[in-house]
Amino acid sequence: MSEVLLKIEGINKRFGGLHALSNVSLHINKGEIYGLIGPNGAGKTTMFNVLTGLYTPDEGSFTFDGNDLFRAPPHVVVKSGIARTFQNIRLFHEMTALENVMVGRHIRSKANALGAVLRNKATRDEEAAIEAKAWELLRYVGIEDVAYERAKNLSYGHQRRLEIARALATEPKLLALDEPAAGMNPSETESLKALMEKIRDGGVTVLLIEHDVKLMMGLCDRIAVLDYGKKIAEGVPEVVRKDPKVIEAYLGVAHE
Amino acid sequence: MTMDTNKKLAVFIASAIVLAVLPFVVGNTLGNSWVRTIDFALLYVMLALGLNIVVGFAGLLDLGFIAFYAVGAYTFALLGSPHFDIHLPFYISIPLGAGLAAMFGLLLGTPVLKLKGDYLAIVTLGFGEIIRIFMNNLNAPVNITNGPQGINLIDPIQIGGLSLGKAVEVFGFTLNPVHLYYYVFLFLTVMVVIMVYRLQHSRIGRAWVAMREDSIAAAAMGLNIRNIKLLAFALGALSGGVAGGLFSTFQGFISPESFGLLESIMILAMVVLGGMGHIPGVILGAVVLTIAPEILRDVIGPLQMKAFGKMLVDPENARMLLFGAAMVIMMLVRPEGMWPSKRRAAEFKDAKKG
Ligand SMILES: Nc1ncnc2c1ncn2[C@@H]1O[C@H](COP(=O)(O)OP(=O)(O)O)[C@@H](O)[C@H]1O
Ligand SMILES: [Mg+2]
């Protein structure tokens, strides 16, 4: 058996009367690409927000890489090794691409206010290392030529890649991507797929939300399906695709 | 490349010379009251740069910033005056006041962590008023602040055997206290400028910008929003505290009146009018807003006498009126401030277009 990286059990999240996540349990193994699919409003993004500390779950348990992260605040989650991107891109728009990635290094660097003011050798070295690492990541996702552009002036595809680079800058063990291919044309999607495989091969586990079923089937090692906040299926893509509950959930939406 | 560094060096030397001789040139041409105004301009530069950390860098509104100036000022006054008959040297009471102001920064920052916009404005405004009211009323049952009468005969700064409170003769030049304090203020202003500049271009400065632009994304990148907010409040307050201590010793007298809401608003206006977040802009804003009212004061009265033969409008009122009008016009035609950063100028340009 492969090693479990993330494990949640019985997670519930309610918004007033809305039961956005109901008793969801799942685990993600080290080194896999794990897909999360489901109709719009199924609770996929809510799940991401719970896993990254932006929402506090009502009940359940959540362990990651040996740490108990149940109701942990975002900076603790990131420190333990989960990074994410957003469905509706959330870059620091007025900052350059390079600076965006440098912000991602924050949690892995230490210079405090005193160091910043004194600019001692340790601080200068660290700052240089932050910048070098940011350049490396921009190259890694293939957008180093726009390093000095402000984030908001980047093309959509570049913004998506920049968000990935910024997330990678936190040195995650698990990278959670919320619909990274949304709005991309087929060739962009194809190269994004290659990027995700490269990330996985680099030793980072990937959690992926996507609508493009074809993409998911070709990419994911395992898939979970959410519908109305419940996990209705989980397994390898070929099995999940044939699951009657899954077909119904998707058809149900299509008929609405 | 060398051209560039040469040019920078030339600018640096030129400004150093200008700043070094400024009080003499001004004193001999316009009189020593103008040197005093320049001294105050330096104090306001420190204050505005402190507030700029909170407002410009971290994007948090603070309408009670003068409270930290008050904390610095009262710390110095209580530790260096006949009031308690304690006379600590300035190199102890200024850092002490700055540290205490920073602690008050945390005190203000902690309860407002979750607040934004209007709510933040109101709470910080209330905080400023509370501090002032405390200063006003802490004279009974135990007299700590001497209430509305304020504290008098505050010690001048003493460097070695030299008291900055008395004129000295150097090579036939007479250096008045306004001159002497000028150099102390200038030195500390330069220190504050270096501090804020280095903070801005550091890991901490980046974190502030990220939080200002999108606090959710910033949190998701692992930034501890609470800590970096508190740091902004504390460091901003620190500069305010330094300026407060200097003000106290320079004036020799302080009372709660000096720390009203209008002062907080004035400092905020310096930051906004100068160019929020942009250090040179904020410095310019502080200098212009300190000096412009003084020029108006000198000009309005005589001008009216010349034009009408009598005073139509009380000069003090006319001054505030003109000043207010100038600010409104400025905000209409140049909302990004007099000297905004390139980034902010572009932001405003984009906002206008779209
Ligand atoms: N902060 C929130 N407050 C109230 N309801 C929310 C909030 N976030 C998500 N929801 C609701 O939870 C449900 C699941 O949303 P979401 O997780 O965004 O779905 P998905 O990403 O699968 O499309 C939706 O009905 C949505 O309206
Ligand atoms: Mg979603």
Side-chain angles (χ1 to χ4, degrees):
Chain A
M1 265 311 285
S2 37
E3 208 180 328
V4 173
L5 179 64
L6 176 148
K7 188 177 172 94
I8 58 171
E9 268 170 356
I11 287 285
N12 282 288
K13 178 68 192 170
R14 298 177 195 85
F15 298 110
L18 180 79
H19 210 155
L21 291 175
S22 111
N23 254 328
V24 179
S25 304
L26 56 81
H27 69 272
I28 300 174
N29 297 322
K30 249 181 204 155
E32 69 181 348
I33 298 184
Y34 188 93
L36 195 57
I37 62 172
N40 265 329
K44 305 181 295 294
T45 297
T46 302
M47 178 65 115
F48 263 42
N49 288 338
V50 165
L51 292 182
T52 51
L54 292 180
Y55 289 168
T56 41
D58 297 317
E59 297 106 28
S61 70
F62 171 14
T63 52
F64 177 81
D65 199 30
N67 299 311
D68 179 9
L69 293 184
F70 186 66
R71 294 192 165 173
H75 64 270
V76 173
V77 172
V78 180
K79 187 122 209 179
S80 357
I82 302 180
R84 68 172 292 173
T85 65
F86 290 89
Q87 182 176 349
N88 46 341
I89 303 171
R90 296 189 87 131
L91 288 163
F92 307 118
H93 289 286
E94 302 297 338
M95 288 179 146
T96 64
L98 185 68
E99 287 169 328
N100 266 274
V101 184
M102 288 170 79
V103 172
R105 293 302 296 158
H106 187 92
I107 191 115
R108 303 294 171 206
S109 43
K110 320 200 242 310
N112 58 16
L114 191 64
V117 171
L118 297 179
R119 264 203 197 163
N120 52 343
K121 178 141 175 20
T123 308
R124 291 195 309 269
D125 289 352
E126 185 182 84
E127 191 66 13
I130 290 172
E131 195 177 332
K133 181 78 184 175
W135 276 107
E136 184 193 319
L137 285 164
L138 287 176
R139 272 192 292 278
Y140 185 79
V141 301
I143 58 168
E144 75 272 29
D145 49 325
V146 294
Y148 294 121
E149 292 282 331
R150 278 190 292 157
K152 69 168 181 192
N153 295 337
L154 299 184
S155 73
Y156 191 74
H158 280 163
Q159 290 193 0
R160 287 272 180 216
R161 280 169 183 266
L162 177 55
E163 251 203 333
I164 293 174
R166 186 181 66 174
L168 286 173
T170 67
E171 289 174 24
K173 298 188 178 91
L174 175 73
L175 178 64
L177 305 169
D178 197 346
E179 302 197 20
M184 285 190 172
N185 63 36
S187 82
E188 283 173 325
T189 306
E190 203 49 41
S191 74
L192 181 74
K193 182 180 167 200
L195 175 61
M196 286 187 279
E197 279 164 342
K198 181 162 93 172
I199 291 169
R200 189 257 316 267
D201 295 344
V204 178
T205 307
V206 177
L207 168 60
L208 179 64
I209 296 178
E210 237 345 306
H211 275 306
D212 188 333
V213 176
K214 197 172 130 251
L215 173 75
M216 293 298 263
M217 295 298 160
L219 190 59
C220 297
D221 298 300
R222 287 189 307 136
I223 288 179
V225 187
L226 281 183
D227 191 24
Y228 292 113
K230 290 197 179 73
K231 188 176 88 175
I232 56 170
E234 183 182 33
V236 293
E238 302 79 63
V239 176
V240 167
R241 181 166 44 179
K242 290 182 195 124
D243 191 313
K245 276 193 282 190
V246 175
I247 293 165
E248 198 199 303
Y250 271 93
L251 290 180
V253 167
H255 278 276
E256 258 175 21
Chain B
M1 191 64 205
T2 45
M3 224 4 238
D4 208 39
T5 38
N6 277 346
K7 217 165 131 192
K8 265 190 192 152
L9 194 67
V11 170
F12 177 78
I13 292 173
S15 7
I17 292 173
V18 167
L19 287 172
V21 302
L22 187 68
F24 294 100
V25 175
V26 170
N28 289 333
T29 53
L30 299 169
N32 278 345
S33 77
W34 276 98
V35 182
R36 203 181 147 72
T37 303
I38 293 175
D39 291 352
F40 268 102
L42 290 174
L43 287 182
Y44 279 111
V45 168
M46 284 184 243
L47 279 170
L49 287 174
L51 181 60
N52 182 53
I53 294 178
V54 181
V55 178
F57 294 169
L60 305 160
L61 194 51
D62 184 352
L63 283 180
F65 191 72
I66 203 68
F68 309 123
Y69 191 54
V71 169
Y74 268 91
T75 306
F76 194 101
L78 295 176
L79 298 178
S81 71
H83 181 58
F84 288 141
D85 211 15
I86 305 175
H87 299 278
L88 290 187
F90 77 99
Y91 52 81
I92 295 185
S93 35
I94 299 253
L96 217 60
L100 206 62
M103 268 165 58
F104 273 80
L106 297 179
L107 199 69
L108 167 65
T110 309
V112 300
L113 280 171
K114 304 251 169 208
L115 301 183
K116 272 192 208 128
D118 310 354
Y119 300 99
L120 185 58
I122 289 168
V123 175
T124 52
L125 186 154
F127 178 80
E129 285 299 282
I130 288 171
I131 297 290
R132 191 178 61 80
I133 291 166
F134 261 102
M135 303 304 176
N136 235 328
N137 292 291
L138 280 182
N139 54 348
V142 190
N143 186 1
I144 299 173
T145 63
N146 209 25
Q149 282 88 43
I151 296 170
N152 217 333
L153 298 172
I154 300 165
D155 299 344
I157 287 182
Q158 219 41 68
I159 300 175
L162 173 74
S163 163
L164 302 197
K166 288 196 223 66
V168 289
E169 293 273 342
V170 185
F171 306 125
F173 279 111
T174 311
L175 289 169
N176 288 313
V178 283
H179 294 109
L180 297 171
Y181 275 101
Y182 170 83
Y183 293 105
V184 174
F185 289 8
L186 184 64
F187 174 75
L188 284 165
T189 304
V190 170
M191 290 294 127
V192 170
V193 171
I194 292 174
M195 175 181 102
V196 293
Y197 179 84
R198 289 186 166 183
L199 280 172
Q200 184 178 23
H201 299 275
S202 75
R203 168 177 182 263
I204 309 283
R206 259 194 318 273
W208 282 329
V209 178
M211 173 180 78
R212 188 184 71 210
E213 289 208 9
D214 187 337
S215 63
I216 291 180
M221 287 305 111
L223 273 58
N224 187 329
I225 299 294
R226 185 184 58 121
N227 287 359
I228 62 175
K229 262 191 194 177
L230 287 178
L231 191 62
F233 275 114
L235 292 175
L238 186 97
S239 326
V242 171
L246 296 174
F247 168 72
S248 194
T249 173
F250 180 54
Q251 286 273 83
F253 166 74
I254 56 165
S255 76
E257 247 181 77
S258 310
F259 309 106
L261 176 60
L262 199 63
E263 285 288 309
S264 286
I265 291 175
M266 202 64 182
I267 302 163
L268 187 62
M270 291 168 178
V271 173
V272 175
L273 233 70
M276 230 194 286
H278 190 223
I279 294 168
V282 171
I283 295 174
L284 180 69
V287 171
V288 168
L289 286 201
T290 315
I291 291 180
E294 296 305 315
I295 294 177
L296 288 178
R297 191 205 299 278
D298 275 11
V299 168
I300 290 173
L303 206 65
Q304 285 194 58
M305 289 304 278
K306 236 189 207 143
F308 312 111
K310 60 175 180 209
M311 287 285 184
L312 287 180
V313 192
D314 169 42
E316 195 58 22
N317 289 345
R319 186 166 79 102
M320 287 321 277
L321 206 71
L322 274 178
F323 189 59
M327 297 236 281
V328 171
I329 291 169
M330 180 74 195
M331 280 294 100
L332 286 175
V333 298
R334 223 180 141 77
E336 68 272 37
M338 292 185 277
W339 191 358
S341 62
K342 285 195 193 106
R343 185 183 281 172
R344 240 183 114 69
E347 251 173 78
F348 273 91
K349 227 168 97 200
D350 291 351
K352 257 188 208 160
K353 262 192 278 169

